[in-house]
Amino acid sequence: MFLRLLLVAGAVIAALVALFIPSSPQREPYVQGRNKTALFITNIQHGLSNVHVATASALLEGYPDIEVHFASFPKLREKLARVSAFAQAKTPAAKDIVFHELRGQPFAEAMQLLGATQESTISPPGIAGIDQFTNNMQDWVSPWGVEEHMVLYDEISALIEEVDPAVVVLEVLLRPALDSTRDKNRLHAIISPNTLLDSFRGDQPYGSMFWKYPAWSSGFDFPVPWRNMLENIYLNFRFIYAVMLTPNLSAKKAELRTRGLKDPINFLKMHRPDVPWITMNTEGASIPVDVVPTNVTCAGPILLSVAPASEQDPELAGWVSQGPTVLINLGSGFEYSINYVRPMVGALVDVLTKTDIQVLWKFKKLGEYSDDELAPLKPFLENGRLRLSNWLPIDVLSLLETGDIVASVHHGGSNCFHEAVSAGVPHVILPLWVDLYNFAALSETAGIGVWGCRDTSPDWTADGISSAIIKVVDGGNASISLREKAKSLGDKVRAGEKGRDISAREIAKLAYVK
């Protein structure tokens, strides 16, 4: 009886949500520009843009007759030049990516002006962190003020006119680009690093987003356990309110409409049935959904394929090959405050004392504290079993593909998760905010990873980190199972077509004007 009531309630709730979302208007056919031309427009953050860079690279290699343009902020220029050179080494007919520098305000800078910091982003899962999450959500949807939004909107509009591409390729968090492209009615596609559930939770039937699928930031298992059902419903309601009804976002939308924008910052209507949407959803490494919306392509991991590790940095690749190595890499932007460095140091002392592995730790300091905090690690630095680096001279995927990495310790970002999945390497996930908790739970459900410090997240303890790493590397029954399942899944992913090639093929279809 209780289940039936939940099903009915979920269906009613879903219907009520639909009332707030206007149906898609009848549209004229999209405008296509010059034949064999694609324009990518993205933010610079690796977690947002890597899928686009990987797709652009595959376009250069597989479709050298297509002219690839890429608009972003200055820091991405060097990376795209490297991608062009690598693609040309594989496909001599490949051309350079044409880079267009956006002079408007980058996403991170806009966030900082709103007072966002790493510490303000970190939040616990579930109800304990929902207030912070929903407050942050208003900024994440679109952090630019009206004037800054208009600067980028106008700049991108002019660029589209100048390049006149057959297709514009977008991401979900550069909202001025999405608004500009749609207001100009240009043919476009969206590539997302997220999974189907992340993007299309609300499309699932019978209101199952409330009672079956774990809410964003919940970290609940799938399907949602009975004990978490009411909390899951509450979390979903709070999320809907955050993106639809909050005064700050509503006022910004209203002002942008007065400036001539037709449907600005419509977060809940980003997907259109007539617009291709490409996702990294991967069978065996994603929560299965009941409904896949029209025009959505599940490409699996969309990853940048570059030179082997031995070519990128022979010395570091040689060190990694000396023995089983744990890679600790909490994404491109994470920096270690004193509250995070202390438990990590304690954990590494424990792991390096109890096992014979070696550790490569991407470490970047946040705040002022003494280097003495790292003193307990000195013996392991001196004997060569531990390396610290504030950046990795070898791309993470290339490191994982060496076969020498026995565990990938990361924060649960989609790119980090899918890199390890593709390489068949088990995970130790230390999530810090929002969707990271769901990837951590997913790794355990799939049997390919461990959620470290699950009981204390987002705070860490030395014991929580060390026990998670040791569980993966100690050779016991749990370790063997994790490694075998991760390897089996990785073998299956690599046996199929590469996600970046699937993504590039979908974009190429649109770049050829019919």
Side-chain angles (χ1 to χ4, degrees):
M1 182 64 180
F2 181 56
L3 176 59
R4 185 181 300 174
L5 287 173
L6 278 176
L7 290 171
V8 172
V12 171
I13 291 166
L16 289 173
V17 171
L19 291 176
F20 289 94
I21 306 175
S23 57
S24 299
Q26 196 71 25
R27 280 184 288 272
E28 294 293 323
Y30 289 114
V31 176
Q32 272 190 293
R34 290 189 297 124
N35 190 26
K36 303 178 184 178
T37 310
L39 171 61
F40 292 76
I41 312 177
T42 75
N43 282 295
I44 58 175
Q45 286 73 23
H46 297 309
L48 299 173
S49 65
N50 272 3
V51 289
H52 300 81
V53 175
T55 301
S57 175
L59 271 177
L60 295 182
E61 296 171 25
Y63 306 87
D65 57 331
I66 292 178
E67 189 178 300
V68 180
H69 293 251
F70 211 112
S72 189
F73 302 95
K75 288 184 180 179
L76 208 57
R77 182 190 295 272
E78 183 179 341
K79 183 176 183 178
L80 291 169
R82 185 166 66 98
V83 165
S84 295
F86 183 75
Q88 289 160 2
K90 295 176 69 176
T91 305
K95 309 178 186 73
D96 285 337
I97 295 173
V98 182
F99 182 71
H100 302 270
E101 180 179 319
L102 296 179
R103 293 180 295 276
Q105 194 177 74
F107 184 91
E109 183 179 313
M111 290 288 289
Q112 289 169 1
L113 290 175
L114 292 172
T117 63
Q118 178 177 288
E119 295 302 318
S120 68
T121 301
I122 293 172
S123 59
I127 287 179
I130 190 62
D131 288 339
Q132 186 176 351
F133 168 42
T134 54
N135 287 337
N136 289 339
M137 192 68 199
Q138 298 176 60
D139 298 333
W140 292 336
V141 167
S142 185
W144 297 276
V146 170
E147 297 302 329
E148 292 77 15
H149 192 104
M150 289 303 304
V151 167
L152 278 170
Y153 176 92
D154 290 338
E155 184 179 6
I156 291 166
S157 295
L159 179 61
I160 291 173
E161 290 295 322
E162 174 190 338
V163 175
D164 190 26
V167 58
V168 182
V169 188
L170 301 167
E171 52 118 317
V172 297
L173 286 184
L174 189 55
R175 293 307 311 225
L178 190 64
D179 291 343
S180 174
T181 301
R182 289 186 166 175
D183 283 357
K184 298 182 78 63
N185 200 39
R186 301 298 297 231
L187 181 68
H188 61 287
I190 291 174
I191 309 178
S192 170
N194 298 111
T195 65
L196 285 173
L197 186 61
D198 291 327
S199 302
F200 303 110
R201 184 177 275 103
D203 292 85
Q204 303 314 304
Y206 310 115
S208 54
M209 66 176 287
F210 293 94
W211 55 268
K212 179 178 180 180
Y213 296 104
W216 263 31
S217 82
S218 69
F220 294 151
D221 295 329
F222 169 80
V224 176
W226 287 106
R227 66 181 181 276
N228 300 127
M229 197 78 70
L230 291 178
E231 184 176 349
N232 201 66
I233 292 171
Y234 174 74
L235 293 173
N236 274 293
F237 266 121
R238 290 293 303 275
F239 170 75
I240 291 168
Y241 175 80
V243 298
M244 291 174 58
L245 303 174
T246 48
N248 291 347
L249 201 55
S250 298
K252 189 189 298 185
K253 291 179 182 180
E255 177 60 25
L256 288 170
R257 286 193 188 94
T258 68
R259 303 290 187 98
L261 277 66
K262 297 175 183 177
D263 188 24
I265 321 179
N266 191 337
F267 186 77
L268 293 175
K269 276 295 181 181
M270 282 189 292
H271 172 255
R272 291 177 175 178
D274 56 356
V275 172
W277 184 294
I278 304 167
T279 170
M280 286 214 285
N281 205 80
T282 305
E283 184 179 354
S286 302
I287 291 175
V289 298
D290 297 316
V291 172
V292 179
T294 304
N295 226 1
V296 173
T297 298
C298 297
I302 305 171
L303 307 172
L304 184 61
S305 178
V306 292
S310 58
E311 293 181 17
Q312 294 186 48
D313 192 308
E315 192 278 329
L316 179 57
W319 178 82
V320 168
S321 69
Q322 291 177 172
T325 303
V326 169
L327 172 64
I328 301 175
N329 170 40
L330 271 74
S332 58
F334 182 76
E335 299 176 347
Y336 286 81
S337 66
I338 189 69
N339 293 330
Y340 286 100
V341 78
R342 283 176 176 167
M344 182 61 78
V345 167
L348 291 183
V349 169
D350 193 45
V351 169
L352 290 165
T353 300
K354 293 179 178 178
T355 72
D356 60 357
I357 65 164
Q358 54 185 24
V359 175
L360 175 58
W361 179 16
K362 181 177 177 288
F363 168 73
K364 191 173 182 180
K365 192 175 180 179
L366 176 63
E368 295 296 325
Y369 52 87
S370 171
D371 291 341
D372 291 343
E373 296 290 344
L374 301 175
L377 298 175
K378 185 177 180 181
F380 305 104
L381 289 166
E382 291 177 345
N383 67 21
R385 289 182 57 210
L386 172 65
R387 283 203 174 190
L388 273 66
S389 177
N390 62 7
W391 68 286
L392 296 174
I394 300 175
D395 292 311
V396 171
L397 181 61
S398 296
L399 276 171
L400 296 172
E401 288 176 336
T402 62
D404 300 314
I405 306 297
V406 294
S408 175
V409 182
H410 60 88
H411 62 316
S414 184
N415 281 285
C416 289
F417 179 80
H418 285 95
E419 285 168 344
V421 165
S422 177
V425 175
H427 313 247
V428 173
I429 301 184
L430 302 172
L432 298 165
W433 58 79
V434 195
D435 59 323
L436 309 186
Y437 294 113
N438 291 26
F439 276 113
L442 176 60
S443 74
E444 295 199 337
T445 299
I448 58 174
V450 178
W451 178 344
C453 305
R454 183 165 190 164
D455 293 336
T456 62
S457 293
D459 298 325
W460 299 346
T461 64
D463 181 64
I465 299 173
S466 65
S467 62
I469 294 175
I470 290 172
K471 181 177 181 179
V472 174
V473 305
D474 69 359
N477 291 337
S479 174
I480 292 171
S481 176
L482 287 163
R483 293 193 198 187
E484 287 179 348
K485 288 181 179 179
K487 182 181 183 302
S488 176
L489 180 57
D491 289 343
K492 181 179 178 182
V493 169
R494 293 192 303 279
E497 188 177 8
K498 291 181 178 178
R500 71 193 195 99
D501 293 333
I502 295 172
S503 181
R505 183 172 63 244
E506 294 302 312
I507 300 304
K509 291 177 184 177
L510 305 173
Y512 294 119
V513 177
K514 297 177 182 178

